[in-house]
Amino acid sequence: MIDFLNLQKINSRFRDEILASIERVFNSGWYISGEENKKFCEDFSKYCKVKHTIGVANGMNALELIIKGYGFKKNDEIIVPANTYIASILAISNNECSPVLVEPDINTYNINPDLIEGKITERTKAIIVVHLYGQAVQMKKIWELAQKYGLKVIEDAAQAHGARYCEKLTGNLGNAAGFSFYPGKNLGCLGDGGAITTSDNQLAEKITALHNYGSFKKYHNLYKGINSRLDEIQAAVLRVRLKYLEQDNARRREISQYYRKNIRNGKIILPTTYNEDAHVWHVFAVRTENREAFQNYLQKQNIQTVIHYPVPPHKQPAYKEWNHLSFPITEQIHREIISLPISPVMTDAEVEEVVKIVNRY
Ligand SMILES: *Cc1c(COP(=O)(O)O)cnc(C)c1O
């Protein structure tokens, strides 16, 4: 069986280093908001070239806290791609703001910058860009619109740690970014984890309080905050994993290049990138008209696949008020997309095997 993603194998490469860092936390007797969190946040700020990183409990909280930190009000509108993972949209709804869905570009699967301006109203406050599947959004036009209309640009960088646009890393492509360190992400820990990056001093200060009950000083509460912190064990694990992120992304890139060069099958549409540096291949998503047949075929040949994602947010029962809407490109993607295995621990033999089997379909 060729696994879609073997997390045990991924972390075992650093077994001794990770276990030593966990032991260090165990022995310290300090388990929340201590040295490990502080050091990881410093390391991550340095890596992304931003002024501040705030460790939080997960990626969705990171996005929620950015929106809360800006103080957007009920019915303020935030633009977001229609084909994103639902967490980007829930982060808006959970703040009682209104998500405004925009269709993606069928070639990049990222938000189509040409369709944004038509959705801007007086109530629009921000644009959430999602670097979907690991590819950094092409920001130029979005920066121009943000400037023109006075909007904040918020990145959902949960799938794109280390991806670059014009030599700048995700996390540093807008006013603030939310990252997830869920175990399966390119930079993952051993449980839930997330972070916010920003170079906005005021926002960073406010979120520092908001994520800790709205308090700067213990038992003194300036805001109605939440409790969302990155715990010490996860921060310690992430300090190890961050050291190998570039190397891991390079291996993903190598596999994707091999796939893109060698998969030759008229029934399969391969992903593309506008620049090799822009993509960290969190997933390798291909499209095919009869997805179920393709997935069953691969399953029989012992290749695991995953669908990112089978149902678009506007067709989910959770958003029944949108169920009647039509986003044809989003719907086409959700109908046709399927992700082949890609991970830094795949062997050359496995990668070659996937190509052979896909070409035989
Ligand atoms: C994983 C993910 C999130 C949410 O992160 P969690 O840590 O699971 O809360 C948000 N947006 C995108 C695009 C994701 O892939």
Side-chain angles (χ1 to χ4, degrees), residues 11-46:
N11 286 304
S12 287
R13 298 172 299 160
F14 317 117
R15 181 189 167 87
D16 293 347
E17 233 180 314
I18 288 176
L19 292 184
S21 71
I22 293 174
E23 191 170 15
R24 192 170 66 230
V25 174
F26 183 92
N27 289 336
S28 76
W30 193 281
Y31 306 120
I32 301 231
S33 303
E35 277 303 296
E36 300 292 339
N37 181 56
K38 185 163 162 268
K39 290 204 170 112
F40 169 69
C41 289
E42 284 168 10
D43 293 349
F44 201 60
S45 291
K46 206 181 277 174

Side-chain angles (χ1 to χ4, degrees), residues 58-60 63 84-85 87-88 130 156 158-159 180 182 185 193 309:
N58 57 64
M60 188 162 109
L63 295 168
T84 184
Y85 178 56
S88 344
V130 183
D156 180 342
Q159 301 189 355
S180 165
Y182 179 81
K185 310 287 183 179
Y309 301 90

Side-chain angles (χ1 to χ4, degrees), residues 14-282:
F14 317 117
R15 181 189 167 87
D16 293 347
E17 233 180 314
I18 288 176
L19 292 184
S21 71
I22 293 174
E23 191 170 15
R24 192 170 66 230
V25 174
F26 183 92
N27 289 336
S28 76
W30 193 281
Y31 306 120
I32 301 231
S33 303
E35 277 303 296
E36 300 292 339
N37 181 56
K38 185 163 162 268
K39 290 204 170 112
F40 169 69
C41 289
E42 284 168 10
D43 293 349
F44 201 60
S45 291
K46 206 181 277 174
Y47 177 71
C48 297
K49 296 199 168 71
V50 292
K51 285 203 220 156
H52 311 280
T53 297
I54 300 145
V56 297
N58 57 64
M60 188 162 109
N61 281 176
L63 295 168
E64 286 169 337
L65 281 160
I66 293 167
I67 295 168
K68 205 173 168 65
Y70 278 128
F72 298 144
K73 301 271 171 340
K74 195 168 170 172
N75 297 327
D76 281 349
E77 293 174 0
I78 300 180
I79 287 170
V80 64
N83 63 319
T84 184
Y85 178 56
I86 199 163
S88 344
I89 298 174
L90 289 171
I92 303 172
S93 310
N94 289 350
N95 275 291
E96 295 193 276
C97 296
S98 306
V100 175
L101 306 182
V102 171
E103 285 267 60
D105 179 319
I106 189 74
N107 298 307
T108 63
Y109 305 126
N110 280 333
I111 193 165
N112 184 338
D114 295 330
L115 300 179
I116 294 175
E117 193 163 19
K119 298 277 190 153
I120 295 175
T121 72
E122 314 79 275
R123 286 195 300 192
T124 309
K125 291 292 188 304
I127 303 169
I128 295 186
V129 294
V130 183
H131 309 297
L132 201 68
Y133 305 150
Q135 174 150 249
V137 170
Q138 294 167 88
M139 300 297 296
K140 188 165 178 286
K141 186 141 198 189
I142 291 161
W143 287 334
E144 286 165 5
L145 289 171
Q147 185 86 29
K148 184 169 168 191
Y149 294 96
L151 310 176
K152 300 293 180 196
V153 176
I154 300 168
E155 295 171 76
D156 180 342
Q159 301 189 355
H161 321 70
R164 286 160 170 85
Y165 173 75
C166 292
E167 315 211 335
K168 274 185 159 188
L169 282 150
T170 58
N172 187 24
L173 296 177
N175 297 96
F179 283 92
S180 165
F181 307 124
Y182 179 81
K185 310 287 183 179
N186 288 29
L187 178 60
C189 55
L190 303 181
D192 274 316
I196 293 145
T197 58
T198 185
S199 294
D200 178 336
N201 295 336
Q202 227 181 328
L203 181 73
E205 192 176 277
K206 189 160 175 197
I207 292 174
T208 299
L210 282 176
H211 87 116
N212 188 34
Y213 306 111
S215 153
F216 287 108
K217 193 172 148 210
K218 207 165 187 184
Y219 308 132
H220 294 263
N221 303 80
L222 187 57
Y223 309 110
K224 296 185 186 91
I226 63 170
N227 171 16
S228 179
R229 299 175 298 219
L230 179 64
D231 70 59
E232 288 287 282
I233 286 184
Q234 302 308 343
V237 171
L238 287 165
R239 286 178 67 198
V240 176
R241 289 289 311 271
L242 180 58
K243 291 196 283 180
Y244 302 99
L245 176 62
E246 285 289 309
Q247 179 186 312
D248 278 1
N249 283 345
R251 175 62 180 154
R252 286 174 183 272
R253 206 165 269 141
E254 196 173 75
I255 294 168
S256 92
Q257 277 164 348
Y258 189 86
Y259 278 166
R260 281 177 288 148
K261 183 151 174 260
N262 295 292
I263 295 178
R264 289 283 170 259
N265 184 325
K267 288 182 283 209
I268 307 297
I269 299 168
L270 295 171
T272 57
T273 177
Y274 60 91
N275 185 332
E276 291 297 316
D277 272 353
H279 213 320
V280 292
W281 303 98
H282 174 58

